[in-house]
Structures are given as C-alpha cells and as structure tokens.
Amino acid sequence: MTSAVASELTAELRGFREVQRLAYECAEAVAAQLKPGVTERGAARMQREWLRERGVRDWFHLPFAWFGDRTAFVNFRIPLQFFPTNRVLEAGMPFILDMAPVYKGFTADIGYSGCLGPSPLHNKLLADLQAHRELILREVRERRSMREIYEDVDRLMVRQGYANRHRAYPFGVIAHRIDRVKERRWSPRLFGFGTQSLKGLASDALHGHRDGWSPLWSPYRFSDHPPRPGLWAVEPHLGFRGTGAKFEEILVVTDSKDPEQSAFWLDDDLPHVRRWAEDACAREPA
C-alpha cells in the first residue's frame, strides 16, 4: 500500500486492519510455540485461546491448522478433511495456521505459513508467492475479470513448477468477500463457521446472483466479472508434492478511477511482506 493510500484509510478500513493485524500477531505467537508433538487440534486450540484472551468472541470460521503434507491438501476430497486432526508436528515439517476472527464487528481471514526448522523448498515457495500478490493487484487494477485473474494465477503457478492447491477449497475459490457483522457477546456456529458471517455471505450471494456478480472468486463462469468494490480475503495457495504454502490477507477494491486507489492491499506491514523486503535487502550488493 502506498503511504498516500495508507494515510487516507477510513475509520472502517482501520477497523479491518486492526483485526487483521491481531490475527497475524496471533499466528506469529502460536508459531513461536510450536514444537514436535503438538497436534493440529492443539495448534487450533492455541489460536482460539490467544484470540479469546484478547476479546474475540465471534468468528467467520474457527482456526485451522495443517501440518506436513496436509499443507498441500494431499488427498483432500471432502470439506471435513479441512478441519484440524490429531496429525502430530515433527521436525522439518511445514505448517499453515488459518484463522478468521471477528473483532468489534470487523472481520479478517488470514493464512500464515511456516516450517519447524530450515527448509530450502519451503523458503522457495514462500518467496515465489510474492509474484502472485503482485499479479493479483495489477490485474484487479486493470479491471480484469476474477475468472481471468484466477487463470493467470494458475498459469504463473505452472511456470513456477507448482500445483494450484486453492482449487481444493469449496468451489475452488482463491478469495471471498468479507464484511462487517453485528457485534455480539456470543454468536452460534455451524460446522465451525459463525452464523452471522455465513448470513452475510449468503446475502451477498443472493443479491449477487440477481445482479450478476459473485462474492466467491472462483474459476467458474459465475466469477466472470471484475471484483465488486468491497473487501476480499485473497489466498493463493502453492503446492509442491507434500509441501504447501500460502498467504491470506485483505484486498480493498473501490470504484475509483485512480489506479492506486481502485485496488490496494489493506496492509503492507504483514509477516510475509516483511520477509520479502528482508530477502530483497539481503540480495542487494554491499
């Protein structure tokens, strides 16, 4: 995000940025505590407890954790396989933490990739995700259709030598819309998803179907239009054999005719963005 855009964030966008930063802070705190023997269920519980201690009472979805080849969704066939299991983390294993808290009525949905110990392969996947973040922003600003952008992400993955693993998500989505929800002390859940948020997504889907747009960013015909103005949780997910890596963060889309204002990442002060900046500095000649 440019400094000009950052300085002009509305109070509403600052609310979304606050909860996104809170979620990434949770991911980094939990990742620092992971060690051999922790299960996916244990890591998911650590995320829930950390966020609840800081005031989170509602969720778009409860936290997920995937270890080892489950980071690449190997042999995933049904939605229940996404939920945390008793898979045990071992030295050298990749992991992904994914959470979607609602805080003060604002929603975030984030993905954090790490590895328990050094891994050149995992480092390469993380580095190669940067090109996807740049491609998505550029093509959204060009008002390309979501379906076209999805196909271009696919082609970039093929050139990099990877498999598209976000295609394993329900409806093959690479992103979905998020919005504010009414703040409550407690909200019921359905299959791990907050009913408040599900109602909002269903309402978007209903209105979108009527008006010719979709809140789901997929490779299918119903996504054959530019992203509608609003907030999108975007998550390109790379896989190479039994290793997967992704980021997930909020992309802001507006109806501005100024390219920089028409679309921008809500926050550049995120772990994966800082990592890329540090890697770029390390490559510069002394």
Side-chain angles (χ1 to χ4, degrees), residues 166-232:
H166 49 265
R167 193 176 284 271
Y169 289 104
F171 304 104
V173 299
I174 191 175
H176 59 84
R177 288 233 323 173
I178 59 172
D179 211 336
R180 292 196 66 170
V181 299
K182 290 182 180 178
E183 191 174 5
R184 295 183 176 179
R185 289 185 61 83
W186 179 81
S187 178
R189 295 188 293 273
L190 181 66
F191 300 114
F193 287 77
T195 56
Q196 290 270 91
S197 298
L198 286 178
K199 284 178 184 176
L201 194 60
S203 177
D204 272 354
L206 182 63
H207 289 105
H209 180 72
R210 182 188 63 202
D211 298 335
W213 61 275
S214 172
L216 301 178
W217 187 328
S218 82
Y220 303 114
R221 189 168 59 185
F222 60 74
S223 294
D224 206 2
H225 60 83
R228 188 175 178 86
L231 275 63
W232 294 83

Side-chain angles (χ1 to χ4, degrees), residues 31-69:
Q33 298 176 57
L34 294 180
K35 57 186 178 181
V38 173
T39 66
E40 290 181 344
R41 287 188 175 129
R45 183 174 59 254
M46 291 162 70
Q47 295 171 71
R48 289 197 306 273
E49 292 174 351
W50 193 97
L51 287 165
R52 282 175 178 156
E53 287 172 1
R54 287 154 183 82
V56 170
R57 295 294 179 267
D58 195 6
W59 310 84
F60 179 79
H61 67 69
L62 288 172
F64 295 111
W66 302 301
F67 296 166
D69 63 4

